[in-house]
Amino acid sequence: MSQTTEKRSRLSRFGRWVAELVLVFVGVYLAFWLNNYQQRRQDIERRDRILASIEQTLREGIESNKVSRAKEQQQAAEFRRALDAGEMSPLRPFVFTTDYSPGDFAALLQSGGIQLLDLETLTALRNDETIIRWGLSRMTRYTKLSDELIVPNLDQDISFFYDPTTTKLRKRFEFFPEALDATVRFANELERTHTELLKRIQAERQRNR
């Protein structure tokens, strides 16, 4: 074999080796890129599922809150009107029910929400939960007062709750109209924060599509 032929053979082997190396590099790069792409798609889909779930819950909550708030406003206004007019309306047990669970928010964050959601959305979500916790704390306090002071005495005469001379509530029952007003304020705050959060979520979903 001549030197020229041998040189060409070495160059040919070197060329094949370089080509194989390039193919391996390209293959690894493509696999890495594909894996990252698939991960990004999974994150996007998971983010959208989380946001869609929150959005649906908020929509239902806002609609439900509008109905209950109208009823609560009417009850609070009517009791205040009667109280101001000296009519001594009967007191009823103060009852506030909710299906809210603090664990829902924690579960959302643990499922990856804290890594996937925008900071502004997380902030709005935390603000909304703060309002809920604050409001429920107030409602729990009023419910406890009602259970202790009103419920055991429902068979009492109206003079047990009111001073017949002034037609005003006795001091230990003054919390009742406050509880009705607080329920309305809570409903208003909920609608405000729910609406703000809903707008944030809709904006984030639109931006990531």
Side-chain angles (χ1 to χ4, degrees):
M1 181 182 294
S2 66
Q3 290 184 351
T4 301
T5 303
E6 185 179 352
K7 185 176 181 181
R8 287 178 179 174
S9 178
R10 286 200 301 269
L11 287 174
S12 178
R13 288 197 299 271
F14 179 75
R16 286 197 300 271
W17 178 79
V18 171
E20 291 173 358
L21 184 62
V22 170
L23 286 175
V24 170
F25 174 78
V26 170
V28 170
Y29 174 79
L30 287 176
F32 179 76
W33 178 87
L34 181 60
N35 182 66
N36 283 346
Y37 174 79
Q38 291 174 336
Q39 184 62 49
R40 285 196 300 271
R41 291 303 308 171
Q42 290 174 359
D43 288 346
I44 290 173
E45 291 171 1
R46 188 153 60 120
R47 177 197 292 122
D48 194 64
R49 286 197 300 270
I50 292 173
L51 292 174
S53 176
I54 300 175
E55 181 176 346
Q56 180 180 353
T57 300
L58 286 173
R59 287 182 181 277
E60 294 172 354
I62 290 172
E63 290 304 313
S64 175
N65 186 59
K66 286 180 179 179
V67 175
S68 60
R69 184 184 60 177
K71 181 179 179 181
E72 290 157 0
Q73 285 177 326
Q74 181 180 5
Q75 291 175 343
E78 175 57 26
F79 191 87
R80 281 290 182 186
R81 183 206 63 76
L83 188 63
D84 293 341
E87 295 179 5
M88 296 192 296
S89 296
L91 271 64
R92 56 181 175 77
F94 179 82
V95 179
F96 188 90
T97 58
T98 179
D99 57 359
Y100 168 76
S101 171
D104 294 342
F105 182 71
L108 169 66
L109 297 183
Q110 291 172 0
S111 69
I114 196 169
Q115 289 86 18
L116 296 174
L117 302 183
D118 288 352
L119 178 60
E120 293 83 357
T121 301
L122 283 173
T123 300
L125 191 60
R126 291 182 186 278
N127 289 341
D128 190 64
E129 197 208 16
T130 297
I131 292 297
I132 293 174
R133 287 178 179 270
W134 174 84
L136 290 182
S137 176
R138 298 274 293 178
M139 297 302 103
T140 299
R141 174 176 172 271
Y142 288 128
T143 299
K144 183 179 179 181
L145 287 172
S146 173
D147 291 344
E148 293 175 351
L149 300 176
I150 296 178
V151 174
N153 299 299
L154 289 175
D155 58 346
Q156 296 286 344
D157 185 76
I158 197 69
S159 61
F160 181 82
F161 301 98
Y162 291 86
D163 181 342
T165 304
T166 63
T167 69
K168 301 298 182 184
L169 283 168
R170 297 190 184 278
K171 191 168 185 63
R172 62 182 177 276
F173 299 113
E174 288 178 349
F175 76 89
F176 186 73
E178 294 174 3
L180 298 181
D181 293 340
T183 304
V184 175
R185 288 195 300 271
F186 183 29
N188 289 335
E189 282 295 295
L190 269 184
E191 182 169 351
R192 179 183 64 80
T193 57
H194 276 10
T195 301
E196 290 176 358
L197 179 56
L198 180 60
K199 289 179 179 178
R200 281 293 324 156
I201 287 174
Q202 290 173 333
E204 182 171 346
R205 292 190 73 191
Q206 185 65 33
R207 186 169 57 253
N208 289 299
R209 282 177 178 171

